[in-house]
Amino acid sequence: MKYLDEFRDPVLARHLLDEIDQTVTRPWAIMEVCGGQTHSIIRHGIDQLLPEGVEFIHGPGCPVCVTPLEMIDQALEIAARPEVVFCSFGDMLRVPGSRHDLFQVRARGGDVRVVYSPLDAVRLAEANPEREVVFFAVGFETTAPPNAMAVVLARRLGLRNFSMLVSHVLVPPAMTAILDSPTCRVQGFLAAGHVCTVMGTSEYVPIVERYDVPVVVTGFEPLDILDGVRRVVHQLEDGEARLENAYARAVTAEGNRAAQAVIADVFEVCDRSWRGIGVIPQSGFRLSERYREFDAGIRFGVDGISVEESPLCRAGEVLQGLIKPHQCEAFGTACTPRTPLGATMVSSEGACAAYYHFRRLTIPVEVTSRG
């Protein structure tokens, strides 16, 4: 397949691995920020091919996983209302709230629908003026432009029955929060290429300069990941810290200016709570004042919901790179993709799901202290 096979070439992969092996002289800890990168690493066994001492730390870059519990519970309450058609991408339906999930709301009679684009939700609102259509807008900078366009289109169409429950998060503030943590072990980053296709690479320059940490923008295929590791390792061994773009076939320094413009028009930056991590200042988008009338949280008055996280779930530690998924006592036993305690086990980009689906059930469960 064009643009896939050439980035999975085993001969080229061997060359990159040999160069990494010949370069490494000491242990290094590298965080891949995106959950898509995590799945590629685990699926292809890249972490097991690297020289001993080069460790991947899995980052918080799964939008489903970091959507805060209070936002999930707000979605559940709105979706259960008889006048509402609640629209979401499919991977949100099994994410557990405090007591149940969207699948269970639908089983009890709620009109919960899977859509493949936020524009599908706008069309539903146009076709059903007697119903309130709500779209669950989650994700990083990658999904913000189409979600913003949906709001713009709804206004142009004069729709009064369309709204969004917005829980967008931003990558650079999360990287900064990780580096500020006293428990941080990250020495270099593989930045998520798809985020940079929208936002460009300039946001990472202050991180490199402030924390003296290498950041390499990469794609998601095995050779993309290995080339990113090769570049980070070279910098670390040479005592350097630079921003490099190893995904030039998709990423430019300035990013997508049209996408950035519609984001700036519809959203504004705000503090945002991340599930399992807590509030990170200036790490999210909410609807700007100009579009606040489309805010489902305000329209349905669901602020102030009390939440209850499972005491067994350690997804927050997984998302911060403090433990590996199989080091959670509940992994593969009380917590499975069919009975998830946290979003990291059920999301298609979740680290726990990657370990569960791609062989890591064979690793003996190591029980660790929470300290």
Side-chain angles (χ1 to χ4, degrees):
M1 290 181 285
K2 186 67 175 173
Y3 302 125
L4 284 180
D5 289 344
E6 55 266 63
F7 295 101
R8 298 179 180 181
D9 187 314
V11 176
L12 293 178
R14 186 69 264 168
H15 285 313
L16 289 169
L17 285 165
D18 288 344
E19 183 176 340
I20 295 168
D21 189 46
Q22 292 163 10
T23 304
V24 168
T25 64
R26 73 200 89 167
W28 298 112
I30 301 169
M31 172 173 279
E32 84 279 5
V33 175
C34 175
Q37 293 170 328
T38 301
H39 272 250
S40 184
I41 289 166
I42 302 302
R43 177 181 183 183
H44 296 286
I46 295 172
D47 55 327
Q48 295 186 330
L49 296 172
L50 291 175
E52 186 175 357
V54 178
E55 178 191 1
F56 281 114
I57 298 178
H58 310 314
C62 164
V64 173
C65 301
V66 299
T67 299
L69 185 57
E70 54 266 34
M71 195 63 72
I72 301 293
D73 283 353
Q74 289 180 19
L76 295 171
E77 178 163 327
I78 293 172
R81 300 192 182 191
E83 74 274 22
V84 167
V85 178
F86 193 87
C87 300
S88 171
F89 296 137
D91 51 3
M92 292 300 298
L93 266 63
R94 199 177 286 280
V95 176
S98 293
R99 285 168 288 278
H100 52 275
D101 58 34
L102 285 169
F103 267 127
Q104 290 167 301
V105 171
R106 186 159 73 177
R108 294 167 185 167
D111 193 347
V112 178
R113 306 189 190 185
V114 173
V115 294
Y116 296 96
S117 163
L119 299 181
D120 293 340
V122 175
R123 295 188 188 98
L124 270 173
E126 189 176 20
N128 298 274
E130 76 286 2
R131 307 289 303 279
E132 285 284 344
V133 177
V134 181
F135 178 69
F136 199 3
V138 304
F140 287 92
E141 294 91 331
T142 47
T143 54
N147 291 345
M149 281 303 304
V151 175
V152 171
L153 179 60
R155 171 165 287 178
R156 286 178 184 170
L157 294 172
L159 299 180
R160 302 288 185 183
N161 62 328
F162 175 80
S163 58
M164 276 188 175
L165 188 62
V166 177
S167 186
H168 273 293
V169 284
L170 307 175
V171 169
M175 293 169 64
T176 300
I178 290 168
L179 290 167
D180 283 335
S181 170
T183 59
C184 176
R185 296 192 300 116
V186 177
Q187 295 166 295
F189 284 102
L190 302 183
H194 53 4
V195 169
C196 296
T197 62
V198 176
M199 305 304 291
T201 59
S202 61
E203 294 179 313
Y204 298 94
V205 173
I207 296 175
V208 171
E209 293 177 347
R210 176 181 174 186
Y211 296 96
D212 196 29
V213 59
V215 175
V216 176
V217 178
T218 75
F220 303 87
E221 292 300 319
L223 294 190
D224 290 322
I225 301 292
L226 287 173
D227 187 38
V229 172
R230 179 185 68 85
R231 293 176 185 237
V232 169
V233 166
H234 271 296
Q235 289 193 47
L236 290 170
E237 290 285 344
D238 293 340
E240 299 176 348
R242 298 188 305 276
L243 171 65
E244 293 188 43
N245 181 7
Y247 199 33
R249 67 183 186 277
V251 170
T252 61
E254 65 274 15
N256 185 326
R257 293 287 175 79
Q260 294 166 21
V262 71
I263 290 174
D265 179 41
V266 173
F267 295 122
E268 62 186 22
V269 176
C270 64
D271 296 347
R272 180 65 72 188
S273 177
W274 296 53
R275 190 168 191 173
I277 297 176
V279 175
I280 300 177
Q282 300 294 285
S283 68
F285 284 140
R286 66 182 177 190
L287 289 168
S288 67
E289 189 66 35
R290 295 186 297 278
Y291 293 92
R292 200 63 57 81
E293 64 188 282
F294 294 98
D295 189 320
I298 296 174
R299 183 174 299 188
F300 294 95
V302 290
D303 288 339
I305 291 178
S306 61
V307 300
E308 182 181 355
E309 191 72 83
S310 166
L312 299 177
C313 183
R314 300 180 67 182
E317 294 168 84
V318 173
L319 289 168
Q320 296 174 72
L322 301 178
I323 64 169
K324 296 289 193 296
H326 64 276
Q327 292 174 311
C328 173
E329 296 88 335
F331 177 81
T333 54
C335 183
T336 72
R338 293 184 65 84
T339 58
L341 296 177
T344 51
M345 179 58 87
V346 70
S347 168
S348 61
E349 293 187 8
C352 296
Y355 273 65
Y356 189 94
H357 289 299
F358 302 127
R359 70 183 158 73
R360 298 308 171 83
L361 278 178
T362 58
I363 296 176
V365 174
E366 176 185 342
V367 178
T368 59
S369 169
R370 292 172 187 262

